[in-house]
Amino acid sequence: MSLKPFFLRLFAVAACLFSAALYASEAQVSIFVLQEGSAVEGMTLSLDGKRLGKTDADGAAFVDIPSGEHLLELTAPGASTPIYSQRIKAEANDFIQLIVTLEPTGQADADIEGGSGAQPVQQEIEGVPGTLTGRIVSAEDESPIENAQVFVSGSRESARTDADGRFSIQVPEGNYAISIVHPRYTTRTITDIAVVAEEAVEQMVSLTPSGLELREFVVTAPYIEGSVASVLSEQRESSAVVDVLGAEQMSRSGDSNAADALARVTGLTIEDGKFVVVRGAPSRYTKTLFNGSPLPSPDPIKRIVPLDLFPTGVLSSISVSKSYDAAQPGSFGAGLINLETVGIPESPFLNVSVKTGVNSESTGQDGLDHEGGGTDFLGIDDGTRELPAQLDAALGGNGSGDDLVEGARQLSNIWEVRDYQPPADLGLGLGAGTNASLLGGTFGAIGSVSWSQKYRTQERVRRTYSLGGDGNLALRDDKTEFRTDMNVDLGGLVGLGLEWDRHALRSNTFVIRKTQQRSEIVEGFDATSDDRFAREFLLDWNERELILQQFTGEHDFALAKVDWRTMVAESSRDAPDRRDYIYRRRENEEGNFIFFRQNGAARRWDNSEDSVVSLELDVTVPVLQTERTLLNIGTGVSTYAQERESRTQRLELDVAPDDDLRQPPEVLLDPSRTGNGLAPTDQTQDNDNYFGDADVNAAYLKFDFDWLDVLRVVGGVRFEQAEFLVETFVAGGSAGGQSVTGSFDTDDVLASLGLTWRIRDDLQLRGNFGQSVSRPVLNELSPARYFDPDSGDEFLGNPDLEPTEIDAFDLRLEWYPSNEEVLSVGAFLKDYTNPIEQAFTGVGGSDPLRTNQNAESAEVTGFEFSARTTMTRLLSFVDRDWAWTDKVYVQANASLMDSSVTLSAQNLETNVNRTLQGQADQTLNVQFGYQGERQDWTVSLNRVGERLRLTGRQGQPDVFQSPITVVDFKYTVTLFEDWKVEASVGNLLNEEVEWLQGGRVFRAYESGIDAGLGLKYNF
């Protein structure tokens, strides 16, 4: 894999050179169609009788045409005769703009720039420019209009008006026309503006308020990145079943990270606040992309990426694909999530933000803490928990007994879990961006850095049961868990972009660290410990980090569209110096707890590092374009290579039997006593270390056929060759000892087919079929034991695991009454072969451990509903005209799901036929919001139905999580133009999270009510 970074760089350079060589091969035509100041969607654009496409919701169409004389025609939806025709003569590098206005009489009027008979199109600024300045005001009261877009016809230059309505643009000497666009005013074009070199010309323009409030930049600018309309358009034009969330929706909902945002998508549920479950399937069946590139997980024991790592502030949109397409990775599973980061900013900006918050169960309440290092507030260990070099060399059987003793003496003497009252949450953010003309295109740079710290305290009921002789459950352990987690997030993004009309190059550098310090005391009755109460203490620190560098290119050539992506990523999880020990006393006994010396005290160091290199190349060729049909052929190749090294080291400390066991742990476990009353033992297992490789190479071929803009058929086939290899040392350690190998080498042929029937312009029916796979995580192929740091459960890997094969069927009816409204209903079926499910396996004489095994088969069926509309439509039956109703929206989605899985009869599970783990039988999301000029508010409700959490074994019933409802509120107001204030209240109901086994409480806790206040200043 060492040569791949070189080839990736070489490929990127070659792509750039290829782009430059073919850049200016045709003329570029931009068309905007308006009627009474509003954009007109669905107008068919034809060239010489051949259909090129339709205007989008912006009323815009962008096409490239060959040099020469051509007949350009526009035809209204449902009409057979063009309403506008224009003969143009195009030369290479021409930039032709048409603004077509439809009159009430059915006639069309047009302004044309460029091409034959029109004003020459100005290209890049050459020589000494002049300055075009002006002021835009309202025709009603002459008040200045801020944030109006000013476009110069025949030029790529544009500007946005400031608070006084003023703008300034530098252009070459010549005659120009300008178009002024604002969402609440009628678009206006001013012609014959003469600009003289080294001089300034001022143009005063008044705009009339529009009778129909336009969505921002509906005419000559593209969609606002991440707006409601833009993401609904993406969802509508997709060939698959897709749900899209934009930055606007995430901001209005008060979602701080991607996981929070996705809780509002149809059919999605969130596990542990960070893992996304698509349509009830376990989280392992969710694939995550970063701007189209496969994203590795910083958590080595899970395939899924914890999406709470990604702050919504750096995202322009999140798309959730629920049906498979051959151009997507074959490990699609149950769903694919693509995180799109913010691109080139429309205008320079600089902002700072500060946030604070409280939690009813945590802030200022009784909590726990333990001593750490000086940089813990940054989520970075300063070496306090570091494994001393001498001890590092001794653990694992590689050193002498003297090395073990001397190394253990160098450890920190931090054992106390102390009382603590957590402070309020705090978060800081800085964002900046700019753009400029460069190399004939637009250059943009955007950067952000964020830091946050919050404490969360929970008091959890933890019970286990045994099966009595009468078949009823009998209480086995009854404990209460007190834990306080300090969570620190630190991250940054630097994005660079260079865009031309038909080409774009981007670079994304992303770094995120998520650190959790846990201080925990578990106290209660343990039936297996001689009828004693026990106090179990835990001091834990987990650092997860993801660093990635991505380069992408998009190129629209005369004969083909070429997209490429390459990414190099490093992800790691470091859990240094996990410490646990036990004190106990007999039930109802008075007096002190005493140290439980039979168990000793344990210290543990876990580290896992992954290196990933990926490359994707997609080519789309238009092979047929007529007035009746369109046919595109797509093909592509990709490669993905991952290397992992995982290491665990364990140390046990045993106290002498004649010690006073009532003493605190800092006395009994003082490292200076090592070798003199405190005996260290190397507990590192031979199979604690493993090395893994995963390589996936793929190629695909697909077609996209559109007939009369009524029927669209997209189909394809993908070939993937996957080779996974994990080597675990089980005797003699890594220095030449014996090893166990877990591996598989598969060749998969995966087909996809999607049909879209456009019943009307605003109504369509989709049907999709797709085949995909889900492969095990590398650690699951190793026979080593590993801990889940979130649940505390211990697992044992299985080298015999095989990939899961999935066949999926989808059907969905979609209605789009407007560009910001949607109503859809759908049904789906997924059939699994060899699904990977949690099971139990016996280990010597101890309790069975959890592991993963292939079940025989599984099936998931479900129904979905989704809607977004305005209050105006809901109240249309009332004969009243309330202006405020246009600003109030309602959106809701719901899913009903059912699943079944069949296990092999050899398992220890009670039920060999049951539901999938993590499956929710229903989900409901409702959002009610107001979008004003200066203030917004949103009320959100999220309900998740019953879910299988743990499987019962040896006759015990399964453990299910009860349904739970979460209600959130957010209010945002803009003050003095530059200040934005955000207030939010989360989890208003504070319902108890409850797991039940046979109707009895297995786990229970409350998360608390969150309240937050944020302030952002835009310079």
Side-chain angles (χ1 to χ4, degrees), residues 107-254:
Q107 301 298 313
D109 186 25
D111 292 323
I112 180 170
E113 294 283 345
S116 176
Q119 298 176 10
V121 176
Q122 303 291 340
Q123 295 297 327
E124 307 311 320
I125 296 177
E126 297 178 359
V128 181
T131 303
L132 175 58
T133 66
R135 188 167 185 256
I136 313 299
V137 298
S138 172
E140 285 188 323
D141 55 9
E142 295 189 354
S143 61
I145 299 175
E146 185 181 5
N147 286 327
Q149 285 276 79
V150 182
F151 297 96
V152 180
S153 298
S155 172
R156 299 182 179 88
E157 302 300 323
S158 65
R160 187 190 296 270
T161 57
D162 60 18
D164 194 38
R166 297 190 178 276
F167 69 92
S168 178
I169 306 173
Q170 284 191 327
V171 293
E173 184 176 25
N175 292 325
Y176 294 92
I178 61 173
S179 297
I180 302 97
V181 183
H182 192 280
R184 288 182 295 278
Y185 294 86
T186 301
T187 297
R188 186 175 177 187
T189 299
I190 309 296
T191 60
D192 296 326
I193 302 174
V195 177
V196 180
E198 297 185 312
E199 295 184 10
V201 58
E202 186 171 11
Q203 185 71 40
M204 304 299 292
V205 182
S206 60
L207 299 184
T208 302
S210 174
L212 175 64
E213 184 173 309
L214 300 181
R215 185 178 48 78
E216 192 170 357
F217 315 144
V218 296
V219 183
T220 55
Y223 272 5
I224 304 170
E225 191 174 33
S227 69
V228 173
S230 68
V231 297
L232 285 183
S233 177
E234 180 181 346
Q235 174 179 318
R236 181 178 183 176
E237 297 302 321
S238 171
S239 62
V241 177
V242 175
D243 290 294
V244 185
L245 279 176
E248 178 183 329
Q249 292 166 285
M250 292 184 281
S251 174
R252 294 186 187 280
S253 300

Side-chain angles (χ1 to χ4, degrees), residues 477 479 521-537 581-600 661-663 665 668:
D477 299 325
K479 301 180 180 180
I521 299 176
V522 180
E523 183 179 48
F525 174 69
D526 188 346
T528 63
S529 300
D530 303 325
D531 296 327
R532 293 180 182 269
F533 275 100
R535 274 187 182 167
E536 305 168 14
F537 296 83
Y581 58 95
I582 301 175
Y583 276 71
R584 67 177 189 172
R585 70 181 181 191
R586 286 193 179 277
E587 184 183 10
N588 299 324
E589 242 183 27
E590 298 296 333
N592 296 325
F593 283 81
I594 62 173
F595 183 78
F596 185 33
R597 62 171 301 275
Q598 286 84 347
N599 251 37
L661 302 181
R662 294 171 298 176
Q663 297 183 94
L668 292 173

